[in-house]
Amino acid sequence: MASPAASGTDDSGRRRPRLAASLKISPGRSPWRPSPRPGQDRLEPVPDPSAVGSEAGPSRDFPKAPRRLGLQLKDPPPGQAVALLTKYAASLGICLSFREDRTADPYLPFSVRVELDGMTCPPGIASSKKEAKQQAALSALSYIQRQLESPEPPRTPSRPPLGSMSVGNILTHEQRCAAVVSAGFDRLVDETSPYWACKGTVAAVILEREVPDVRGHTKEIYKLVALGTGSRSCAGWLDFSGRQLHDCHGLVVARRALLRFLFRQLLMVTQGGPKGRERSVLAPQPGPGPPFVLKPRIFLHLYISNTPKGAAHDVYLPPSPKGSLLHSSPFRLQAHIRGELKPVCYIAPVLRDTYVGCLSGSDKLARWAVLGLGSALLAHFLPPLYATSLVLADPCHDPPTLSSAIHTRPALDRDLGPCLPPPYMRNTLHLFSGPPVGPSSPTPNSCHELSLNWSLGDPDVEVVDVTTGRVKADAALGPPSRLCKAAFLRAFRQAAQALRKSRLLALETYEEAKAGPYQEARQQLSLLLEQQGLGAWPSKPLVGKFRN
C-alpha cells in the first residue's frame, strides 16, 4: 500500500482494519481454481469487484439439486463455467437465461446477469462480453454451491431478499490475487510453450485501485503489473558492467519488474500529456520531497508461489521468549553463492568478493518491509512504496515463522529513539494463504535454469538464462536483461532528463546515482542487523562503478 508519506493521506489507517477483519486466511481448499479467461484483453484488470447495476439479490430460495448428480460446482474447468451451469440447469429442468447490459465504466463496459426461473444472480462485469458471461456463470455457480452446503432455510413468503451480491464479495482477496496472476501468465505464455512449466515458481505484484461506480459505491479493480519466475540465482563470477542479472528468484524478479513499471509510469506522467497524467498511477507532489507520489486509493499486493528461501523456508520454531528467536541460527541472514544457501557469517571474504552472492528471499522481504518496494534510484522521484499484503500459495509454510522472518529482523526499539531516517519505517504486511496457480507436477529441470519477467507495458515476457544472467540466446552470451542495473541506470537518466533534474544527470556512475536517503536508510538497517547478531548485509561497491 502507499504509506501516508507516499499518498499524502491517512488512508492506511482506514485500510488496515478492513483488510485484517474482512480478508481472512482460508484454512481449507479454495472454492475455485483461478484459470485463464478466454477473450480477455492482455492488459485488462480482473472483473469488477463491486457489481454496477446489480439489483437486489436472489429473490427466492434456489431449488436444491440432488447431490447424486455429482456436478463439480466447486472447480469449473477453465472457460467452462457457462457449460457447467447449462448442464446443471438442464438437470433440474429450470429455465436458464443470460441478460446482457452495458455499464458506465469504459474499462469494464459489459455486464451479464444469469436468471434461473426468474431468479436474478449476481452479474459478471468485464472488458468483453464473453468474459462477462463466464464471470456471471461463475458467480451463479458459487452462489448455488453455498446454497447446497448450507442447511435448508425456512420458507416464509415474507422473507426479504438477500443484499446485493457481486463477484467481489463472493471471491476472497487471496483468490482474486491468484486469479489475476494465473490469467495474466496464461495470456503471456501459451500452455504449449516449453516455458509454461515456469508457472510453478511464479511471483507477482498486483495493483489494486479503488474507484467509485455510477452509484457512488466503491469498487476494487485488481491489475497485474509485474511478474517473475525462477528458483535460482546466477552462480558465476561477479560482473562489473551492470549487465548481468544476479538474482533470478521469482520474488526478486517480480520486484525488479515493478521498478521497470514505475519508471515507465514516471515517463507517462511527465511526457504523456493530460491523458498520460490521467492514466498514470503517479501524481505530482509539491514541496521539497520527491516530485511524485502514488495516487490515493491505490495499493500493492505481493503473490508468491513458494515459501521464500532463508529464515521462512521449511522452518518451524516453537514459541520462545521475546528476543531469543532473533538470535537463533535460522533467523540470521543467508545468501545464495555458487549454488548453495549459506549464512553470511560463514561465507569467506574471497568468495564474497569474487562470486555472485544474493541474500535470501526472506531477508529481502524483511528489508522491503522497512525500505519499501522501491529502489535507491527510484527514491529520487518517489517516497517509499510499501506493499499492503502478501499472498503465499505454498501450503507447507508456517505463518508465524513467516511473519517473524519479515517483521522482526532487525528489532526496531523506538524507546531508544528513531532507528531509521524519515520517512522510512517498518510496515506490517497482511499475510494470506492463497490458492496455487502453477501445475501440480514438479517443475522440470529445464525450467530451473530459466527466469521469465514481464511488467505492464511490455509486449511479451523476457526469458533469462540463469547461468549467465542474460537473455537466453542461441549464442554463448545473450544480450543484457531489461531488468539489469545498466537498464535501470538508463531509465533513471531518462526520468531525470524528463524532469530537467540537472543535478541527477551529473551523477556519472550507478553507485553515485544510488546516493540519497534510501541508501542512508539501507546502511542504517545493515548496521542494526549486524549489531543484533543477524549478520552483515554484503556490500559490493565495485559492482556499481560502471557508467552505462
Side-chain angles (χ1 to χ4, degrees):
M1 63 174 280
S3 68
S7 64
T9 68
D10 193 24
D11 192 53
S12 60
R14 175 196 64 79
R15 180 69 173 175
R16 288 173 182 272
R18 186 172 72 81
L19 277 171
S22 64
L23 303 179
K24 301 296 185 183
I25 295 177
S26 300
R29 187 182 180 189
S30 303
W32 70 291
R33 179 183 176 123
S35 61
R37 302 300 186 202
Q40 187 173 7
D41 191 44
R42 169 170 290 194
L43 301 181
E44 286 299 314
V46 292
D48 176 16
S50 178
V52 181
S54 173
E55 306 296 335
S59 57
R60 60 185 176 84
D61 294 326
F62 193 83
K64 302 286 183 174
R67 295 185 184 274
R68 64 177 178 270
L69 291 176
L71 297 179
Q72 299 298 315
L73 299 181
K74 281 194 174 183
D75 297 289
Q80 296 184 19
V82 172
L84 182 59
L85 181 63
T86 303
K87 180 180 178 182
Y88 179 83
S91 68
L92 292 176
I94 58 178
C95 178
L96 167 66
S97 61
F98 291 86
R99 303 296 182 185
E100 300 176 1
D101 199 359
R102 300 281 294 190
T103 73
D105 190 337
Y107 298 102
L108 303 170
F110 296 96
S111 175
V112 177
R113 290 178 293 122
V114 170
E115 288 187 4
L116 295 164
D117 272 352
M119 184 198 74
T120 302
C121 291
I125 299 176
S127 58
S128 68
K129 188 181 299 184
K130 184 177 180 180
E131 172 66 8
K133 191 173 182 179
Q134 288 290 337
Q135 286 296 323
L138 178 63
S139 62
L141 289 170
S142 299
Y143 172 70
I144 294 168
Q145 182 63 39
R146 282 174 18 198
Q147 292 294 304
L148 290 175
E149 292 177 345
S150 63
E152 185 75 26
R155 295 179 179 270
T156 56
S158 59
R159 180 181 170 201
L162 300 176
S164 177
M165 297 174 62
S166 70
V167 173
N169 56 36
I170 290 176
L171 304 182
T172 63
H173 169 72
E174 56 269 31
Q175 289 168 344
R176 295 192 68 190
C177 287
V180 172
V181 175
S182 180
F185 185 95
D186 290 341
R187 286 195 300 269
L188 294 164
V189 182
D190 189 82
E191 192 168 350
T192 60
S193 167
Y195 306 130
W196 192 81
C198 295
K199 192 177 184 181
T201 61
V202 71
V205 182
I206 300 106
L207 184 143
E208 177 194 357
R209 186 197 298 264
E210 291 183 344
V211 296
D213 61 19
V214 292
R215 293 187 171 185
H217 301 134
T218 298
K219 59 181 181 180
E220 299 161 350
I221 297 177
Y222 286 47
K223 180 181 289 188
L224 179 67
V225 296
L227 179 147
T229 75
S231 58
R232 296 184 181 179
S233 58
C234 183
W237 301 98
L238 275 176
D239 176 82
F240 299 98
S241 68
R243 289 166 171 77
Q244 183 186 64
L245 196 60
H246 291 167
D247 196 336
C248 295
H249 288 85
L251 173 62
V252 177
V253 173
R255 183 257 184 175
R256 294 186 74 84
L258 172 68
L259 301 182
R260 176 174 167 84
F261 165 76
L262 292 171
F263 272 116
R264 184 182 285 119
Q265 293 294 303
L266 281 171
L267 295 180
M268 180 185 293
V269 74
T270 54
Q271 300 179 332
K275 279 196 172 183
R277 289 190 292 272
E278 181 183 355
R279 291 175 53 200
S280 176
V281 301
L282 305 178
Q285 173 181 245
F292 294 97
V293 295
L294 203 62
K295 287 180 179 177
R297 298 184 177 277
I298 290 180
F299 310 94
L300 299 174
H301 306 290
L302 299 174
Y303 177 94
I304 51 179
S305 297
N306 309 109
T307 303
K309 298 292 181 64
H313 185 72
D314 293 333
V315 177
Y316 174 74
L317 298 174
S320 58
K322 184 179 180 181
S324 63
L325 188 65
L326 285 178
H327 301 288
S328 60
S329 296
F331 265 62
R332 295 173 183 168
L333 298 183
Q334 301 178 54
H336 299 273
I337 191 163
R338 299 185 68 183
E340 297 180 7
L341 183 64
K342 298 180 179 180
V344 294
C345 57
Y346 295 154
I347 298 176
V350 65
L351 290 179
R352 185 186 61 220
D353 295 338
T354 54
Y355 285 91
V356 173
C358 306
L359 267 292
S360 71
S362 298
D363 299 334
K364 292 189 174 180
L365 280 172
R367 186 179 76 179
W368 299 338
V370 175
L371 301 183
L373 294 174
S375 66
L377 300 186
L378 205 59
H380 292 287
F381 311 105
L382 292 171
L385 302 177
Y386 294 105
T388 296
S389 73
L390 183 149
V391 178
L392 177 55
D394 187 350
C396 301
H397 79 278
D398 181 53
T401 302
L402 176 66
S403 180
S404 297
I406 297 173
H407 299 131
T408 63
R409 302 181 305 151
L412 301 180
D413 190 350
R414 298 190 179 276
D415 296 336
L416 302 178
C419 298
L420 299 166
Y424 295 95
M425 50 177 271
R426 169 166 285 139
N427 173 68
T428 302
L429 285 166
H430 296 281
L431 304 178
F432 297 92
S433 294
V437 299
S440 56
S441 56
T443 304
N445 292 333
S446 58
C447 286
H448 288 308
E449 304 300 332
L450 299 175
S451 174
L452 312 184
N453 70 77
W454 172 88
S455 65
L456 187 60
D458 290 331
D460 207 345
V461 295
E462 178 184 75
V463 183
V464 173
D465 184 345
V466 177
T467 59
T468 62
R470 289 173 172 256
V471 175
K472 180 178 172 59
D474 295 333
L477 197 64
S481 168
R482 59 193 177 192
L483 301 185
C484 68
K485 291 181 173 66
F488 284 132
L489 181 58
R490 183 169 60 251
F492 165 79
R493 287 175 175 160
Q494 289 175 341
Q497 187 171 9
L499 291 168
R500 296 182 174 88
K501 298 285 187 180
S502 57
R503 180 184 63 84
L504 299 181
L505 289 172
L507 302 173
E508 294 186 356
T509 67
Y510 183 81
E511 193 69 21
E512 290 175 358
K514 287 169 60 179
Y518 180 97
Q519 200 67 357
E520 295 171 9
R522 177 175 172 173
Q523 291 169 358
Q524 182 64 24
L525 185 66
S526 300
L527 180 61
L528 291 171
L529 288 166
E530 190 171 9
Q531 288 175 344
Q532 296 177 22
L534 297 173
W537 199 283
S539 177
K540 301 185 181 69
L542 292 179
V543 174
K545 294 297 183 183
F546 65 92
R547 282 177 163 75
N548 211 355

